[in-house]
Amino acid sequence: MAVPRDSPKAGERQHWRSVSPEERIASVNQLIVLHPRFREGVELLQRCHESIRGSSEPTCGALLGVSGVGKTSVIDHYRKLHPAHDTETATQQPVLKVTLQPEARPKGIAADILLALGDPAWSSGTVQTLTNRAVKLLQRCQVELIVLDEFHHLFDMDRAKVMTKAAQWLKVLIVNTKIPVVVCGMPEAEYVLRAEHTERRFKERLQLKCFTWRTPAGKREFCGMLKKLDQSLPLAEDSELAELELAGRFYLACRGIPDYLMTLVRGGLVEALRRRSEQITKEDLARVYEQKLAHQRVLLEQSNPFIGQLDQGALDRVQPADDARAAGVGLTPKAAHRRNRAMTAGDYLGGR
C-alpha cells in the first residue's frame, strides 16, 4: 500500500545503510500511503475521468474536507498517474488542476483556467473572451478532467452567500465542453453544491475525514497507517511506530490530521539521520513536535505528547480535528453578522 521512491521490500531494508541522507530525505518526502480513504478519493477522480468516454453527460464530483486531510495529496497522486506531455502543437494535459482565487467570479475562474493551461495572456480580456479562449485551449490541450481546488471560494463566508454567477458559469462550461469537473475544498463548499445550478451536476461526493482513535476500527486504521509508514521508511530498522502507546502519542500530536502525521514522521526521519541512527525515537518526535506543530491552534492547550507519561485521560477524550472544528460557519447572514473576526485555519481545525 505504501508508495515511496525506489522502496525496497521489508527484507531488503539494509539497502538503506548505503544510501545518502539526502536521498533518503528525498524518498520520504515522496512517500504516500494508499490507505482506504485515500484510495476512495483516487477512485472518485477515476470514475469522473472515465465518464468523458461513452457518456452524453460527464460525471462530476466533489472531494471535501478540512485543511490537512489529504485532498491535495489525492489530486497530485492522480495527476502523476496521468502526466502532461508535449506534442508538436501543444502540451497535452489529461488532468488539469486549477486553483481558484478568493471571491471567485466568472472572469476570475476563466483566468485561473487559462493560467493553469499556460496561457501567457491569462488575465487579459473580457469575461467572454477569456471564456472563449479557455474553451478552445481546453480542447487543444485535450483536457479530460478538470479539478477545481479551493472550491469553497465560491461561497462568500462574510455574507453567507453562494457566488451564483460563478456557479452558473461553471454549469455552462461543463455543458459546452462536456469535460467532467471535480471540485475540492473545505466543508463549506457543500453550500455551493446545494445551489440550484450545481446540485444536479455533482453527484459523486466524498468527505475525506481525519483519522479517529475513539472506536476500535478507527484505532486499528490509525495503527495500520503507522505500521505501513514504518515499513516504508528509508531506514534499515523498524522504529515500532505502531506500538500502542507510541501510536497514542502520535494521535494526540496530530489529532488525526494526515498532514500533521506525515510532518511528524518525515521530521522524525530527519532527526534520526542527524544522529546517524536507523530508528526514530520519542526524543526525535518530541523535537519535531516542538519545532513544527506545537504552535498550531488545535494543539495549543496540550503539552508535548512525546515527553513524560502518556496522558491516557486526554487520549480517551480526544476528538478528531474535523469533529471539533467550529460548527455553523456561514450558515445564515444573521450568523455571519454575529462573527466579529475573520475565521482562521485554526478555527477550521477545531481551535477554541
Side-chain angles (χ1 to χ4, degrees), residues 271-333:
E271 292 293 324
L273 293 178
R274 283 176 180 166
R275 297 186 295 102
R276 298 187 178 181
S277 173
E278 297 296 331
Q279 288 182 312
I280 297 172
T281 66
K282 279 194 296 186
E283 291 73 22
D284 295 327
L285 296 167
R287 284 191 289 273
V288 176
Y289 182 86
E290 288 296 333
Q291 294 166 5
K292 300 188 176 183
L293 294 181
H295 62 281
Q296 298 293 324
R297 175 173 287 200
V298 71
L299 304 171
L300 281 176
E301 297 179 2
Q302 70 181 23
S303 58
N304 192 320
F306 297 105
I307 295 177
Q309 294 293 316
L310 173 63
D311 188 344
Q312 188 62 53
L315 185 58
D316 292 339
R317 296 188 303 271
V318 70
Q319 291 179 295
D322 48 357
D323 282 356
R325 73 190 288 271
V329 175
L331 290 176
T332 65

Short mmCIF file of all heavy atoms in Angstrom, two decimals, residues 271-333:
data_model
loop_
_atom_site.label_atom_id
_atom_site.label_comp_id
_atom_site.label_asym_id
_atom_site.label_seq_id
_atom_site.Cartn_x
_atom_site.Cartn_y
_atom_site.Cartn_z
N GLU A 271 15.57 13.80 11.96
CA GLU A 271 16.25 13.82 13.27
C GLU A 271 17.08 12.54 13.47
O GLU A 271 18.21 12.59 13.97
CB GLU A 271 15.22 13.97 14.39
CG GLU A 271 14.52 15.31 14.43
CD GLU A 271 15.46 16.44 14.80
OE1 GLU A 271 16.37 16.23 15.62
OE2 GLU A 271 15.28 17.56 14.26
N ALA A 272 16.52 11.41 13.09
CA ALA A 272 17.25 10.15 13.24
C ALA A 272 18.51 10.15 12.39
O ALA A 272 19.59 9.72 12.85
CB ALA A 272 16.35 8.97 12.86
N LEU A 273 18.41 10.62 11.16
CA LEU A 273 19.58 10.67 10.28
C LEU A 273 20.65 11.61 10.82
O LEU A 273 21.85 11.35 10.67
CB LEU A 273 19.17 11.08 8.87
CG LEU A 273 18.28 10.09 8.11
CD1 LEU A 273 17.89 10.64 6.75
CD2 LEU A 273 18.98 8.73 7.95
N ARG A 274 20.23 12.69 11.45
CA ARG A 274 21.21 13.60 12.05
C ARG A 274 22.00 12.91 13.16
O ARG A 274 23.17 13.22 13.38
CB ARG A 274 20.49 14.83 12.62
CG ARG A 274 20.06 15.84 11.56
CD ARG A 274 19.28 16.97 12.17
NE ARG A 274 18.85 17.93 11.15
CZ ARG A 274 17.94 18.86 11.34
NH1 ARG A 274 17.32 18.96 12.53
NH2 ARG A 274 17.62 19.70 10.37
N ARG A 275 21.35 11.97 13.85
CA ARG A 275 22.03 11.21 14.90
C ARG A 275 22.76 10.00 14.33
O ARG A 275 23.32 9.21 15.09
CB ARG A 275 21.02 10.74 15.95
CG ARG A 275 20.31 11.82 16.71
CD ARG A 275 19.44 11.25 17.82
NE ARG A 275 18.33 10.45 17.32
CZ ARG A 275 18.28 9.13 17.30
NH1 ARG A 275 19.30 8.41 17.74
NH2 ARG A 275 17.21 8.49 16.82
N ARG A 276 22.68 9.83 13.01
CA ARG A 276 23.25 8.66 12.34
C ARG A 276 22.65 7.37 12.89
O ARG A 276 23.34 6.37 13.08
CB ARG A 276 24.77 8.64 12.48
CG ARG A 276 25.43 9.85 11.84
CD ARG A 276 26.94 9.74 11.85
NE ARG A 276 27.54 10.89 11.18
CZ ARG A 276 28.84 11.07 11.02
NH1 ARG A 276 29.69 10.15 11.48
NH2 ARG A 276 29.30 12.14 10.40
N SER A 277 21.35 7.43 13.10
CA SER A 277 20.61 6.29 13.62
C SER A 277 19.69 5.74 12.55
O SER A 277 19.30 6.45 11.62
CB SER A 277 19.79 6.70 14.85
OG SER A 277 18.94 5.65 15.27
N GLU A 278 19.33 4.47 12.68
CA GLU A 278 18.41 3.82 11.75
C GLU A 278 17.02 3.64 12.36
O GLU A 278 16.20 2.90 11.83
CB GLU A 278 18.97 2.47 11.31
CG GLU A 278 20.27 2.56 10.54
CD GLU A 278 20.12 3.28 9.20
OE1 GLU A 278 19.02 3.23 8.63
OE2 GLU A 278 21.11 3.91 8.76
N GLN A 279 16.75 4.33 13.47
CA GLN A 279 15.45 4.26 14.12
C GLN A 279 15.01 5.64 14.58
O GLN A 279 15.83 6.45 15.02
CB GLN A 279 15.48 3.33 15.34
CG GLN A 279 15.59 1.85 15.01
CD GLN A 279 15.57 1.00 16.27
OE1 GLN A 279 16.28 1.29 17.23
NE2 GLN A 279 14.75 -0.03 16.28
N ILE A 280 13.71 5.89 14.50
CA ILE A 280 13.12 7.12 15.04
C ILE A 280 12.75 6.88 16.50
O ILE A 280 12.14 5.86 16.83
CB ILE A 280 11.87 7.53 14.23
CG1 ILE A 280 12.23 7.84 12.78
CG2 ILE A 280 11.16 8.73 14.87
CD1 ILE A 280 11.02 8.06 11.88
N THR A 281 13.10 7.80 17.38
CA THR A 281 12.80 7.67 18.80
C THR A 281 11.77 8.71 19.25
O THR A 281 11.47 9.66 18.52
CB THR A 281 14.07 7.86 19.65
OG1 THR A 281 14.52 9.23 19.50
CG2 THR A 281 15.18 6.90 19.20
N LYS A 282 11.26 8.54 20.47
CA LYS A 282 10.33 9.52 21.03
C LYS A 282 11.00 10.89 21.14
O LYS A 282 10.35 11.93 20.96
CB LYS A 282 9.86 9.07 22.42
CG LYS A 282 8.74 8.05 22.38
CD LYS A 282 8.08 7.89 23.74
CE LYS A 282 9.03 7.34 24.78
NZ LYS A 282 8.34 7.05 26.06
N GLU A 283 12.30 10.89 21.45
CA GLU A 283 13.02 12.16 21.56
C GLU A 283 13.05 12.89 20.22
O GLU A 283 12.90 14.12 20.16
CB GLU A 283 14.43 11.91 22.08
CG GLU A 283 14.52 11.46 23.53
CD GLU A 283 14.08 10.02 23.75
OE1 GLU A 283 14.10 9.23 22.76
OE2 GLU A 283 13.69 9.69 24.89
N ASP A 284 13.23 12.14 19.14
CA ASP A 284 13.20 12.74 17.81
C ASP A 284 11.84 13.37 17.55
O ASP A 284 11.73 14.51 17.07
CB ASP A 284 13.46 11.68 16.72
CG ASP A 284 14.85 11.10 16.80
OD1 ASP A 284 15.79 11.82 17.19
OD2 ASP A 284 15.01 9.90 16.45
N LEU A 285 10.78 12.62 17.87
CA LEU A 285 9.43 13.10 17.62
C LEU A 285 9.09 14.29 18.51
O LEU A 285 8.37 15.21 18.08
CB LEU A 285 8.44 11.96 17.84
CG LEU A 285 8.59 10.78 16.86
CD1 LEU A 285 7.81 9.57 17.34
CD2 LEU A 285 8.13 11.18 15.45
N ALA A 286 9.61 14.29 19.74
CA ALA A 286 9.37 15.43 20.64
C ALA A 286 9.95 16.70 20.06
O ALA A 286 9.33 17.78 20.12
CB ALA A 286 9.96 15.14 22.02
N ARG A 287 11.14 16.62 19.49
CA ARG A 287 11.77 17.80 18.89
C ARG A 287 10.97 18.30 17.68
O ARG A 287 10.77 19.50 17.52
CB ARG A 287 13.21 17.47 18.49
CG ARG A 287 14.18 17.42 19.66
CD ARG A 287 15.62 17.37 19.17
NE ARG A 287 15.94 16.08 18.57
CZ ARG A 287 16.37 15.02 19.26
NH1 ARG A 287 16.52 15.11 20.58
NH2 ARG A 287 16.65 13.89 18.65
N VAL A 288 10.52 17.37 16.85
CA VAL A 288 9.74 17.76 15.67
C VAL A 288 8.44 18.42 16.10
O VAL A 288 8.03 19.44 15.54
CB VAL A 288 9.46 16.54 14.78
CG1 VAL A 288 8.56 16.93 13.61
CG2 VAL A 288 10.75 15.93 14.28
N TYR A 289 7.79 17.86 17.12
CA TYR A 289 6.52 18.43 17.60
C TYR A 289 6.72 19.86 18.06
O TYR A 289 5.94 20.76 17.71
CB TYR A 289 5.96 17.57 18.74
CG TYR A 289 4.64 18.07 19.27
CD1 TYR A 289 3.44 17.68 18.68
CD2 TYR A 289 4.59 18.95 20.35
CE1 TYR A 289 2.23 18.15 19.16
CE2 TYR A 289 3.39 19.43 20.84
CZ TYR A 289 2.22 19.03 20.23
OH TYR A 289 1.01 19.51 20.71
N GLU A 290 7.76 20.11 18.85
CA GLU A 290 8.02 21.46 19.36
C GLU A 290 8.33 22.43 18.22
O GLU A 290 7.88 23.58 18.22
CB GLU A 290 9.18 21.45 20.36
CG GLU A 290 8.86 20.82 21.70
CD GLU A 290 7.78 21.59 22.46
OE1 GLU A 290 7.65 22.82 22.25
OE2 GLU A 290 7.05 20.96 23.26
N GLN A 291 9.09 21.97 17.25
CA GLN A 291 9.53 22.85 16.17
C GLN A 291 8.42 23.16 15.17
O GLN A 291 8.32 24.29 14.66
CB GLN A 291 10.70 22.21 15.42
CG GLN A 291 11.97 22.07 16.23
CD GLN A 291 12.97 21.14 15.58
OE1 GLN A 291 12.75 20.65 14.46
NE2 GLN A 291 14.07 20.86 16.27
N LYS A 292 7.54 22.18 14.88
CA LYS A 292 6.65 22.32 13.73
C LYS A 292 5.15 22.27 14.04
O LYS A 292 4.35 22.73 13.21
CB LYS A 292 6.97 21.24 12.69
CG LYS A 292 8.40 21.34 12.17
CD LYS A 292 8.65 20.40 11.01
CE LYS A 292 10.05 20.58 10.44
NZ LYS A 292 10.30 19.73 9.26
N LEU A 293 4.75 21.73 15.20
CA LEU A 293 3.32 21.55 15.44
C LEU A 293 2.79 22.22 16.71
O LEU A 293 1.59 22.52 16.77
CB LEU A 293 2.98 20.05 15.49
CG LEU A 293 3.15 19.26 14.20
CD1 LEU A 293 2.75 17.81 14.40
CD2 LEU A 293 2.33 19.87 13.07
N ALA A 294 3.63 22.45 17.68
CA ALA A 294 3.14 22.93 18.98
C ALA A 294 2.40 24.25 18.88
O ALA A 294 1.54 24.57 19.71
CB ALA A 294 4.30 23.05 19.97
N HIS A 295 2.72 25.05 17.86
CA HIS A 295 2.08 26.36 17.70
C HIS A 295 0.74 26.29 16.99
O HIS A 295 0.03 27.30 16.91
CB HIS A 295 3.01 27.29 16.91
CG HIS A 295 3.29 26.78 15.52
ND1 HIS A 295 4.22 25.79 15.28
CD2 HIS A 295 2.75 27.11 14.32
CE1 HIS A 295 4.25 25.54 13.98
NE2 HIS A 295 3.37 26.32 13.38
N GLN A 296 0.35 25.13 16.46
CA GLN A 296 -0.94 25.01 15.78
C GLN A 296 -2.08 25.16 16.78
O GLN A 296 -2.05 24.58 17.86
CB GLN A 296 -1.04 23.65 15.07
CG GLN A 296 0.00 23.43 13.98
CD GLN A 296 -0.21 24.37 12.81
OE1 GLN A 296 -1.33 24.68 12.43
NE2 GLN A 296 0.90 24.83 12.22
N ARG A 297 -3.09 25.93 16.42
CA ARG A 297 -4.14 26.27 17.39
C ARG A 297 -4.81 25.05 17.98
O ARG A 297 -5.10 25.01 19.17
CB ARG A 297 -5.18 27.18 16.72
CG ARG A 297 -6.35 27.48 17.63
CD ARG A 297 -7.30 28.51 17.05
NE ARG A 297 -6.72 29.83 17.10
CZ ARG A 297 -7.45 30.94 17.02
NH1 ARG A 297 -8.76 30.86 16.88
NH2 ARG A 297 -6.88 32.12 17.06
N VAL A 298 -5.07 24.05 17.17
CA VAL A 298 -5.77 22.87 17.66
C VAL A 298 -4.96 22.12 18.72
O VAL A 298 -5.49 21.33 19.48
CB VAL A 298 -6.13 21.93 16.48
CG1 VAL A 298 -4.91 21.27 15.90
CG2 VAL A 298 -7.16 20.90 16.90
N LEU A 299 -3.64 22.39 18.80
CA LEU A 299 -2.76 21.67 19.73
C LEU A 299 -2.25 22.54 20.87
O LEU A 299 -1.51 22.05 21.73
CB LEU A 299 -1.56 21.11 18.95
CG LEU A 299 -1.90 20.19 17.76
CD1 LEU A 299 -0.65 19.89 16.95
CD2 LEU A 299 -2.55 18.90 18.24
N LEU A 300 -2.64 23.80 20.92
CA LEU A 300 -2.05 24.74 21.87
C LEU A 300 -2.30 24.38 23.33
O LEU A 300 -1.49 24.69 24.19
CB LEU A 300 -2.58 26.16 21.61
CG LEU A 300 -1.96 26.92 20.45
CD1 LEU A 300 -2.66 28.27 20.26
CD2 LEU A 300 -0.47 27.14 20.69
N GLU A 301 -3.43 23.75 23.62
CA GLU A 301 -3.82 23.53 25.01
C GLU A 301 -3.19 22.29 25.63
O GLU A 301 -3.52 21.94 26.77
CB GLU A 301 -5.34 23.45 25.11
CG GLU A 301 -6.03 24.75 24.71
CD GLU A 301 -7.54 24.66 24.79
OE1 GLU A 301 -8.05 23.58 25.19
OE2 GLU A 301 -8.22 25.64 24.46
N GLN A 302 -2.32 21.60 24.91
CA GLN A 302 -1.73 20.40 25.47
C GLN A 302 -0.22 20.51 25.52
O GLN A 302 0.39 21.29 24.79
CB GLN A 302 -2.13 19.17 24.63
CG GLN A 302 -1.49 19.14 23.25
CD GLN A 302 -1.92 17.92 22.43
OE1 GLN A 302 -2.96 17.32 22.68
NE2 GLN A 302 -1.11 17.55 21.46
N SER A 303 0.38 19.72 26.39
CA SER A 303 1.84 19.65 26.46
C SER A 303 2.33 18.69 25.39
O SER A 303 1.55 18.00 24.74
CB SER A 303 2.28 19.19 27.84
OG SER A 303 1.70 17.93 28.14
N ASN A 304 3.63 18.64 25.21
CA ASN A 304 4.23 17.77 24.19
C ASN A 304 3.90 16.31 24.49
O ASN A 304 4.31 15.77 25.52
CB ASN A 304 5.74 17.98 24.18
CG ASN A 304 6.41 17.33 22.98
OD1 ASN A 304 6.06 16.25 22.56
ND2 ASN A 304 7.41 18.02 22.43
N PRO A 305 3.14 15.63 23.61
CA PRO A 305 2.72 14.25 23.89
C PRO A 305 3.87 13.25 23.92
O PRO A 305 3.68 12.12 24.42
CB PRO A 305 1.77 13.92 22.72
CG PRO A 305 1.40 15.23 22.13
CD PRO A 305 2.58 16.11 22.34
N PHE A 306 5.03 13.62 23.41
CA PHE A 306 6.16 12.68 23.36
C PHE A 306 7.10 12.83 24.55
O PHE A 306 8.15 12.19 24.59
CB PHE A 306 6.93 12.87 22.05
CG PHE A 306 6.11 12.57 20.82
CD1 PHE A 306 5.63 13.60 20.02
CD2 PHE A 306 5.79 11.26 20.48
CE1 PHE A 306 4.87 13.34 18.89
CE2 PHE A 306 5.03 10.99 19.36
CZ PHE A 306 4.56 12.02 18.56
N ILE A 307 6.72 13.65 25.51
CA ILE A 307 7.54 13.86 26.70
C ILE A 307 6.77 13.39 27.93
O ILE A 307 5.59 13.70 28.10
CB ILE A 307 7.92 15.35 26.86
CG1 ILE A 307 8.81 15.80 25.70
CG2 ILE A 307 8.63 15.60 28.19
CD1 ILE A 307 9.17 17.26 25.73
N GLY A 308 7.43 12.63 28.81
CA GLY A 308 6.82 12.17 30.05
C GLY A 308 5.84 11.04 29.85
O GLY A 308 5.84 10.35 28.83
N GLN A 309 4.96 10.86 30.86
CA GLN A 309 3.97 9.79 30.80
C GLN A 309 2.86 10.14 29.80
O GLN A 309 2.49 11.30 29.64
CB GLN A 309 3.34 9.58 32.19
CG GLN A 309 4.31 9.07 33.24
CD GLN A 309 4.78 7.66 32.93
OE1 GLN A 309 3.98 6.79 32.56
NE2 GLN A 309 6.07 7.43 33.10
N LEU A 310 2.36 9.12 29.12
CA LEU A 310 1.24 9.32 28.21
C LEU A 310 0.01 9.71 29.02
O LEU A 310 -0.34 9.05 30.00
CB LEU A 310 0.97 8.04 27.42
CG LEU A 310 -0.29 8.04 26.54
CD1 LEU A 310 -0.19 9.08 25.44
CD2 LEU A 310 -0.51 6.65 25.94
N ASP A 311 -0.64 10.80 28.61
CA ASP A 311 -1.87 11.25 29.27
C ASP A 311 -3.03 10.43 28.72
O ASP A 311 -3.67 10.81 27.74
CB ASP A 311 -2.07 12.74 29.01
CG ASP A 311 -3.22 13.31 29.81
OD1 ASP A 311 -4.04 12.54 30.33
OD2 ASP A 311 -3.32 14.56 29.90
N GLN A 312 -3.29 9.29 29.36
CA GLN A 312 -4.31 8.38 28.86
C GLN A 312 -5.69 9.01 28.91
O GLN A 312 -6.53 8.79 28.04
CB GLN A 312 -4.30 7.08 29.67
CG GLN A 312 -5.20 5.99 29.11
CD GLN A 312 -4.78 5.54 27.72
OE1 GLN A 312 -3.63 5.18 27.49
NE2 GLN A 312 -5.73 5.56 26.78
N GLY A 313 -5.93 9.84 29.94
CA GLY A 313 -7.22 10.51 30.04
C GLY A 313 -7.47 11.43 28.86
O GLY A 313 -8.57 11.46 28.30
N ALA A 314 -6.44 12.18 28.48
CA ALA A 314 -6.57 13.07 27.32
C ALA A 314 -6.80 12.25 26.06
O ALA A 314 -7.60 12.64 25.19
CB ALA A 314 -5.33 13.93 27.18
N LEU A 315 -6.13 11.12 25.95
CA LEU A 315 -6.28 10.28 24.77
C LEU A 315 -7.69 9.71 24.69
O LEU A 315 -8.28 9.59 23.61
CB LEU A 315 -5.25 9.16 24.80
CG LEU A 315 -5.18 8.24 23.58
CD1 LEU A 315 -4.90 9.04 22.31
CD2 LEU A 315 -4.11 7.17 23.77
N ASP A 316 -8.26 9.36 25.85
CA ASP A 316 -9.62 8.83 25.87
C ASP A 316 -10.66 9.88 25.48
O ASP A 316 -11.73 9.55 24.97
CB ASP A 316 -9.96 8.28 27.26
CG ASP A 316 -9.15 7.04 27.62
OD1 ASP A 316 -8.67 6.37 26.67
OD2 ASP A 316 -9.01 6.74 28.81
N ARG A 317 -10.35 11.15 25.72
CA ARG A 317 -11.30 12.22 25.45
C ARG A 317 -11.13 12.88 24.08
O ARG A 317 -12.03 13.55 23.58
CB ARG A 317 -11.18 13.33 26.50
CG ARG A 317 -11.53 12.91 27.92
CD ARG A 317 -11.55 14.13 28.83
NE ARG A 317 -10.29 14.86 28.82
CZ ARG A 317 -9.27 14.61 29.64
NH1 ARG A 317 -9.36 13.62 30.52
NH2 ARG A 317 -8.16 15.33 29.58
N VAL A 318 -9.98 12.71 23.47
CA VAL A 318 -9.64 13.50 22.29
C VAL A 318 -10.57 13.21 21.11
O VAL A 318 -10.99 12.07 20.90
CB VAL A 318 -8.17 13.25 21.89
CG1 VAL A 318 -7.98 11.84 21.32
CG2 VAL A 318 -7.69 14.29 20.89
N GLN A 319 -10.90 14.26 20.38
CA GLN A 319 -11.71 14.14 19.17
C GLN A 319 -10.84 14.36 17.93
O GLN A 319 -9.83 15.08 18.00
CB GLN A 319 -12.81 15.21 19.16
CG GLN A 319 -13.89 15.03 20.20
CD GLN A 319 -14.89 16.17 20.10
OE1 GLN A 319 -14.56 17.33 20.34
NE2 GLN A 319 -16.11 15.85 19.71
N PRO A 320 -11.22 13.79 16.80
CA PRO A 320 -10.54 14.15 15.56
C PRO A 320 -10.69 15.64 15.30
O PRO A 320 -11.69 16.25 15.68
CB PRO A 320 -11.27 13.33 14.49
CG PRO A 320 -11.98 12.26 15.24
CD PRO A 320 -12.30 12.81 16.58
N ALA A 321 -9.72 16.24 14.66
CA ALA A 321 -9.73 17.69 14.46
C ALA A 321 -10.96 18.15 13.69
O ALA A 321 -11.50 19.22 13.95
CB ALA A 321 -8.46 18.13 13.72
N ASP A 322 -11.43 17.36 12.72
CA ASP A 322 -12.59 17.81 11.94
C ASP A 322 -13.89 17.69 12.72
O ASP A 322 -14.84 18.42 12.45
CB ASP A 322 -12.68 17.10 10.59
CG ASP A 322 -12.54 15.59 10.69
OD1 ASP A 322 -12.31 15.08 11.80
OD2 ASP A 322 -12.65 14.92 9.66
N ASP A 323 -13.97 16.79 13.72
CA ASP A 323 -15.17 16.72 14.55
C ASP A 323 -15.25 17.89 15.51
O ASP A 323 -16.33 18.30 15.93
CB ASP A 323 -15.19 15.41 15.36
CG ASP A 323 -15.62 14.23 14.53
OD1 ASP A 323 -15.97 14.45 13.35
OD2 ASP A 323 -15.58 13.10 15.03
N ALA A 324 -14.09 18.45 15.86
CA ALA A 324 -14.06 19.54 16.84
C ALA A 324 -14.07 20.91 16.18
O ALA A 324 -14.08 21.91 16.87
CB ALA A 324 -12.80 19.41 17.70
N ARG A 325 -14.08 20.96 14.84
CA ARG A 325 -14.00 22.26 14.17
C ARG A 325 -15.25 23.10 14.44
O ARG A 325 -16.30 22.57 14.78
CB ARG A 325 -13.81 22.08 12.65
CG ARG A 325 -15.02 21.59 11.92
CD ARG A 325 -14.69 21.21 10.49
NE ARG A 325 -14.43 22.36 9.67
CZ ARG A 325 -15.39 23.00 9.01
NH1 ARG A 325 -16.65 22.64 9.14
NH2 ARG A 325 -15.08 24.02 8.22
N ALA A 326 -15.09 24.41 14.27
CA ALA A 326 -16.19 25.33 14.54
C ALA A 326 -17.41 24.96 13.69
O ALA A 326 -17.30 24.76 12.50
CB ALA A 326 -15.76 26.75 14.23
N ALA A 327 -18.55 24.88 14.33
CA ALA A 327 -19.78 24.50 13.63
C ALA A 327 -20.57 25.73 13.21
O ALA A 327 -20.49 26.79 13.81
CB ALA A 327 -20.63 23.62 14.55
N GLY A 328 -21.38 25.58 12.18
CA GLY A 328 -22.30 26.62 11.79
C GLY A 328 -21.69 27.81 11.10
O GLY A 328 -22.30 28.86 11.02
N VAL A 329 -20.49 27.68 10.60
CA VAL A 329 -19.83 28.81 9.96
C VAL A 329 -20.59 29.20 8.69
O VAL A 329 -20.76 28.40 7.78
CB VAL A 329 -18.37 28.46 9.60
CG1 VAL A 329 -17.73 29.60 8.82
CG2 VAL A 329 -17.58 28.18 10.86
N GLY A 330 -21.05 30.44 8.65
CA GLY A 330 -21.66 30.96 7.44
C GLY A 330 -22.99 30.33 7.06
O GLY A 330 -23.38 30.37 5.90
N LEU A 331 -23.73 29.79 8.04
CA LEU A 331 -24.99 29.14 7.69
C LEU A 331 -26.05 30.15 7.26
O LEU A 331 -26.85 29.90 6.39
CB LEU A 331 -25.51 28.33 8.88
CG LEU A 331 -24.72 27.08 9.23
CD1 LEU A 331 -25.28 26.43 10.47
CD2 LEU A 331 -24.74 26.09 8.07
N THR A 332 -26.07 31.31 7.90
CA THR A 332 -27.06 32.33 7.58
C THR A 332 -26.42 33.69 7.63
O THR A 332 -25.40 33.89 8.30
CB THR A 332 -28.21 32.32 8.61
OG1 THR A 332 -27.69 32.69 9.88
CG2 THR A 332 -28.86 30.94 8.72
N PRO A 333 -27.00 34.69 6.95
CA PRO A 333 -26.47 36.04 7.06
C PRO A 333 -26.45 36.53 8.49
O PRO A 333 -25.54 37.23 8.91
CB PRO A 333 -27.43 36.86 6.18
CG PRO A 333 -27.96 35.88 5.19
CD PRO A 333 -28.06 34.58 5.95
#
